Amino acid sequence: MNRKTVSIVSGLIILLITYLASTFLISSNKETYNNNTNITHSVKTIVVKNSTNQISVKVNGNLKSKYQIELISEVQGKLQSPNKEFKTGQNYRKGEVILKLDSKEFLANVKQSRSQFQNLIASILPDIKLDYPESYKQWKDYFKNFNIDNRVKDFPKHNSEKEKFYVIGKGLLAQFYKVKSLEERLSKYTIISPFQGTLIDVFASEESLVLTGQKLGTYINTNIFDLEVAVPAKFGDKLEVGKKVDLESTYKTKHTGKIVRINNSIDNNSQSIRLFIEFNSKELKDGMYSSVNIPLGNIDDSFSLSRSLLINDSFVYYIKNDMTVGLMNVEAAFYDDETVIIKGLEDGTKILKNYIPGVYDGMKVKIVD
């Protein structure tokens, strides 16, 4: 055999060995892949137990004091604050004087009018004694108890029409109502707190001249608040006045209020309904940003789970009896930000508790709950 023949045979042998080696490696890789497809994954599950689930929608808004008063002067005079400084942030109890205006000049006019009324009463007493003796004692007592420093009291009750006509004819009734009118105007020189609250704005300082119609400040109630929120119109048929609502404040404190008003119109731009919730708490503050859950009712025979476990809005992964993963079609009855209420699952069904990357229908699993 010459050298050329030996070289050809040697080359063929090398090619044959290379072919056999590559075939063995390919076969070995296929076997490894097949073994990997039979790997059993450890999973945790949730056992379905259907029940009645409450549904709600979470919305946000800013609290506003239910009672807010613009302090506007109806008279003229120098501003005085007899008890406390008239400053922003000042607190007052119900019935406490917030401010006074200097009323010395007007008070003198009121006393003059009261004195004129007193003189009229004195002038008719002799005639009352003679013509209407049955009424004399009550008119005499009225006159004796009259004090120009105090508000006038109501007329004594007439014992006859004739007496009534006589009193009116003498001008007592006209003078009585003139005094009452002046006393009412005098009361406007003092502004009294109608409820416990605080000043949030002040536009005048002590001893400054206040003009009629001038705005002096803003006073709010610090106990009762309204929260105005917008709820999607699709939930309009589930909103009810009187329903309790839970609130979480900026300070992470929780409070309970109730729906007091619902706007019957729908906003054209946002397609939402405005509703108003009332809260009663000293811990809340005007303008506070708050989150509330508006109750919308219940869904019977349903199950709540995380939205992350719902696949394509219609499916969930569950564990079959042969310990493989299956894909089940369900009905999503209600969504919120974190959870979904679903129907269509039977009690006892085991669904995946956490999403597994690469999960697929038929994947073998082992439950490790």
Side-chain angles (χ1 to χ4, degrees):
M1 184 179 293
N2 57 32
R3 294 181 60 185
K4 184 176 180 180
T5 303
V6 172
S7 297
I8 292 172
V9 172
S10 298
L12 291 173
I13 293 172
I14 292 172
L15 289 174
L16 179 61
I17 294 172
T18 302
Y19 172 76
L20 293 174
S22 62
T23 301
F24 174 78
L25 289 175
I26 291 173
S27 175
S28 176
N29 286 338
K30 285 183 178 179
E31 183 179 353
T32 302
Y33 174 78
N34 289 334
N35 288 337
N36 286 338
T37 59
N38 293 323
I39 291 176
T40 300
H41 296 266
S42 298
V43 297
K44 292 184 177 182
T45 61
I46 302 172
V47 179
V48 173
K49 185 177 181 181
N50 289 298
S51 61
T52 297
N53 285 279
Q54 293 183 343
I55 58 174
S56 62
V57 59
K58 188 173 183 178
V59 290
N60 304 314
N62 293 89
L63 287 169
K64 186 176 181 180
S65 176
K66 186 176 181 69
Y67 303 107
Q68 179 170 307
I69 298 175
E70 302 297 334
L71 303 179
I72 298 176
S73 176
E74 298 182 67
V75 293
Q76 179 174 311
K78 284 188 177 181
L79 189 149
Q80 300 171 339
S81 48
N83 300 321
K84 299 177 180 179
E85 286 188 309
F86 186 66
K87 300 289 185 182
T88 301
Q90 192 69 267
N91 298 314
Y92 298 90
R93 299 183 305 274
K94 181 179 180 179
E96 189 175 1
V97 174
I98 297 177
L99 62 86
K100 294 182 69 173
L101 299 181
D102 185 7
S103 60
K104 293 178 182 177
E105 182 180 350
F106 192 78
L107 178 60
N109 291 332
V110 174
K111 288 184 176 181
Q112 180 187 11
S113 183
R114 287 172 181 163
S115 179
Q116 291 172 351
F117 180 56
Q118 187 181 34
N119 290 339
L120 280 175
I121 297 172
S123 68
I124 68 167
L125 281 177
D127 293 336
I128 292 287
K129 185 176 183 180
L130 291 174
D131 300 332
Y132 312 101
E134 70 279 3
S135 301
Y136 176 70
K137 185 179 185 305
Q138 62 185 17
W139 278 101
K140 182 181 178 181
D141 291 342
Y142 187 80
F143 177 77
K144 287 175 65 176
N145 295 325
F146 193 94
N147 189 335
I148 63 171
D149 292 323
N150 299 327
R151 296 177 69 95
V152 296
K153 297 180 181 179
D154 291 339
F155 264 5
K157 187 176 180 180
H158 302 298
N159 289 317
S160 65
E161 277 198 352
K162 190 176 180 181
E163 177 195 343
K164 178 180 178 181
F165 294 153
Y166 173 76
V167 170
I168 293 174
K170 288 297 183 178
L172 263 73
L173 193 61
Q175 185 63 29
F176 172 79
Y177 282 113
K178 178 181 178 182
V179 174
K180 296 295 278 185
S181 176
L182 291 174
E183 287 178 343
E184 185 64 28
R185 187 161 185 81
L186 179 63
S187 68
K188 299 182 185 300
Y189 281 82
T190 302
I191 296 180
I192 297 174
S193 171
F195 44 73
Q196 180 176 323
T198 187
L199 287 168
I200 60 171
D201 287 310
V202 168
F203 305 110
S205 57
E206 192 168 352
E207 294 302 322
S208 62
L209 179 63
V210 174
L211 303 178
T212 302
Q214 180 177 337
K215 184 176 180 180
L216 305 177
T218 303
Y219 186 70
I220 65 168
N221 185 290
T222 53
N223 293 332
I224 306 176
F225 300 89
D226 270 347
L227 179 65
E228 181 182 356
V229 294
V231 176
K234 63 182 179 179
F235 300 130
D237 60 334
K238 294 179 171 58
L239 301 175
E240 293 180 17
V241 172
K243 272 192 174 181
K244 291 184 178 181
V245 176
D246 294 326
L247 173 146
E248 183 176 344
S249 72
T250 304
Y251 305 139
K252 302 302 180 182
T253 56
K254 297 186 182 299
H255 307 268
T256 300
K258 64 178 180 180
I259 300 174
V260 292
R261 300 189 306 281
I262 300 175
N263 195 333
N264 286 326
S265 66
I266 297 176
D267 185 272
N268 289 330
N269 297 323
S270 63
Q271 285 298 294
S272 62
I273 296 175
R274 311 294 294 182
L275 60 87
F276 301 84
I277 310 161
E278 182 180 300
F279 295 91
N280 193 331
S281 174
K282 295 181 180 180
E283 298 179 7
L284 300 174
K285 296 186 181 299
D286 184 76
M288 179 180 284
Y289 182 81
S290 305
S291 297
V292 293
N293 286 306
I294 308 296
L296 301 176
N298 302 314
I299 298 180
D300 297 327
D301 194 25
S302 60
F303 186 70
S304 174
L305 77 161
S306 171
R307 289 188 63 168
S308 63
L309 300 179
L310 188 64
I311 310 301
N312 296 330
D313 295 329
S314 300
F315 300 92
V316 291
Y317 284 115
Y318 74 104
I319 308 303
K320 301 177 184 178
N321 292 332
D322 61 357
M323 300 304 291
T324 60
V325 174
L327 200 60
M328 180 181 292
N329 191 353
V330 294
E331 175 191 349
F334 180 82
Y335 293 93
D336 62 21
D337 292 339
E338 298 177 354
T339 61
V340 57
I341 307 297
I342 58 176
K343 295 177 71 70
L345 289 174
E346 293 184 0
D347 287 348
T349 302
K350 295 181 179 181
I351 60 177
L352 290 183
K353 188 174 184 179
N354 304 104
Y355 178 75
I356 302 174
V359 64
Y360 57 89
D361 189 2
M363 185 175 75
K364 291 184 177 182
V365 295
K366 178 178 69 174
I367 298 175
V368 295
D369 293 348

